[in-house]
Amino acid sequence: MNHMPRLNRRAFVIGSAALGSGLALGLDIPFGGPAVVRAADGSPEVNAWVVIRPDDTVVIRIARSEMGQGSLTGLAQLVAEELECDWSKVTTDYPTPGQSVARKRAWGDFSTGGSRGIRASQDYVRKGGATARVMLIEAAANEWKVPASECTAANSTITHTPSGKTTTYGKVAEAAAKLTPPADVKLKDPKDWKLIGKPVKRLDTADKTTGKMMYGIDVKLPGMLNAAIKQCPVFGGKLKSYDEAKIAGMKGVKKVVKVGDSAIAVVADTWWHAKTALDAMPIVWDEGENAKVSNETIAKWLAEGLDPSQPAFVGNENGDAKAALASAAKKVEAVYSYPYQNHATMEPLNATALYTADKCEVWCGTQNGEAAFAATVEVSGLPSEKCDVYKHMLGGGFGRKGNTDYVRQAVAIAKQMPGTPIKLLWSREEDMQHGAYHPVTQCKMTAGFDADNNLTALHMRISGQSILASLRPEAMVNGKDPVTFQGLNPNGETAFGYTIPNLLIDHSMRNPHVPPGFWRGVNVNHNAIYVECFMDELAHAVNQDPLEFRRKLMSKNPKHLAVLNAVAEKIGWGKPAPQGVYRGIAHFMGFGSYVAGAAEISVTDGNKIKVHRIIGATDPIHAVNPAQIDRQVAGSFVYGLSGLFYGGCTVKDGRIEEANFDTYNSMRIAEMPRVESIIMPSGGGGAWGGVGEPTICVAAPAVLNAYFAATGKRIRSVPLRDQNITFA
């Protein structure tokens, strides 16, 4: 695995540029100073977030990554709201992590994961916009020799109210850039928002539509060569030997490069020549003991962890669940499981690196520009001021491109060919079989009822993998992985939605050799299935309506209940469904947002499912761009339903078997149900919620519960392909 690099004394330390974890930072963001800083085109930078050109074009700097989720537009809306600029003249720009570090991290956290792109930066980016507005007004007031308090700003125009004089941002930007920023600015009350909360069009759509958008895979530099790479197919194995003489005369081949102790690359004039030569080169691997591991051995080991006598980390506990279960009038028990799943991004991993003795530069798509920068600094051996990373649009990320393994490899190859730009592109097979997978887990659910069929106790034992133990061991809490308990915590941004008198939720940590990673939605994906399908089981076990059963347990959690009620009402719960159509429902909390889902399905021949309609309700506290949230919900259901029906990586001889989309499938358009989203921001102070990941988790349990309603059969493991269940 590639841990966050520990940098040497010549480099810098990024406090928590985590691999996709998105932990919030306490930031002191500088907003500029008396000296004018200029953009590449010479336009003045009013502060770190805002550049204004003479023609009134407003360039808003975006530190977070855009990979289709819409953060680029949402973050620009946040800045523009406080800036009071003309939205039709807004464009965006990525600062580089090297520039940020050189300016004492002027743009804060570059990490884009955990649905934190907007919610973890909303406060300071809005302050960036507000600060720039105050400085522009002050510059105009100084020119007019009037008090700034007599001036207002709107739509990139400043007006002196008493006299009616006006000027534009472009005309005063140079003067504003020379001013000292105010020490403090007041942000707007949400009731006064004019741009935040509006479904404005995305800023990146036109370039994507015309093909102008540049992704990492599109980078071309003068004199560039191409590299293809192979790593030991068994995780933890090593490169034993290779025979480069066998490919010495092959077309286009320039060099064979060993990369670390477990990989080999071929550099050629084209990528296809590099890949063809690499495939032809004899390679011997030292696969090690991990070659003995299989799906079956992993499953057996995890099953052993379900035994309550096995040690476990406690994530949520109240009352005495074990005693209450021992004395329960009725007990219900079920065991669930969830497999490894691949990110399967459309754009395979790639990075282009140019190394010289005085400079190392990398061009790539990354979910964490600072982590990619830190990796570049460490592998190049150069000081941070001689390195930089130029971030491009990502062709999908889903958590995988928060890791830096591909960046480290590109720099390592380029370092062996100084002065020549090297584009490293992983093959689809390499991308699929050397991922950082959704963690594998099993779960034993045990519930107890009293004589009146009231739920009195629940023990939820998870056995399986920890992401943090592999990626960020320093974030563990006394050996416990907090990420394991997403959606199961007593409070906070991933809180459990039910109140049960005696509750115990614990984790028997077992870490196979297959590397886990942050996979869109992370642990809420399987936790929601375990909890929400089991809640359905419990309702039926005591002959109660699944919705009413949940409602009784949620009276102390009104926001959880609100989204559940919303989807129930929209789906028509309690009213007759169309002939042959069956319904399922689920709710959960993740990443600060409350979410629920309801599905309508029909089943033919017992194993062919048609998902007719799926409804998602989301309370993200504040909704920056409702149109984008609507798209995110639909996209989440594509990902969630793909995982339910098709997702699942199998391990044989220590390696992942699924190598391409023929064996790791994704939903097709014809299989997609009608999606209806309910966006219901509850507002108020405190933390904001995310939207990129939360809603994924309710798709699978809603459909699984509907499948039980249709067939009377419980499915407790996914993907459905393994149960011979398919889309109709």
Side-chain angles (χ1 to χ4, degrees), residues 48-126:
W49 302 100
V50 177
V51 172
I52 298 180
R53 297 173 182 158
D55 65 357
D56 290 328
T57 296
V58 175
V59 182
I60 295 177
R61 300 279 184 53
I62 306 294
R64 308 283 181 162
S65 297
E66 176 60 57
M67 48 191 158
Q69 81 279 33
S71 290
L72 182 140
T73 301
L75 287 165
Q77 280 180 261
L78 292 171
V79 175
E81 177 69 65
E82 297 289 346
L83 182 59
E84 291 283 5
C85 65
D86 182 346
W87 179 253
S88 69
K89 294 184 177 181
V90 166
T91 186
T92 60
D93 182 37
Y94 286 139
T96 71
Q99 292 167 342
S100 189
V101 168
R103 294 172 61 174
K104 300 180 181 178
R105 296 191 76 219
W107 288 280
D109 189 359
F110 278 60
S111 172
T112 311
S115 294
R116 292 181 180 272
I118 286 177
R119 66 190 179 108
S121 51
Q122 55 84 17
D123 182 72
Y124 61 79
V125 301
R126 286 192 291 147

Side-chain angles (χ1 to χ4, degrees), residues 88 132 341 425 521 531 608 691:
S88 69
Q341 291 192 324
L425 173 64
V531 172
K608 296 179 180 63
V691 298

Side-chain angles (χ1 to χ4, degrees), residues 460-526:
M460 179 178 183
R461 164 61 65 90
I462 301 168
S463 176
Q465 207 152 12
S466 157
I467 298 174
L468 293 186
S470 176
L471 285 184
R472 295 194 65 233
E474 71 278 9
M476 304 281 276
V477 180
N478 298 321
K480 178 172 72 175
D481 180 354
V483 177
T484 299
F485 300 99
Q486 286 182 317
L488 307 174
N489 289 298
N491 48 52
E493 67 172 30
T494 57
F496 193 58
Y498 299 107
T499 302
I500 301 170
N502 300 282
L503 177 69
L504 174 60
I505 302 176
D506 53 18
H507 174 216
S508 175
M509 188 186 299
R510 287 161 190 253
N511 293 314
H513 76 294
V514 177
F518 296 98
W519 187 99
R520 189 179 181 189
V522 199
N523 290 51
V524 297
N525 293 314
H526 55 253

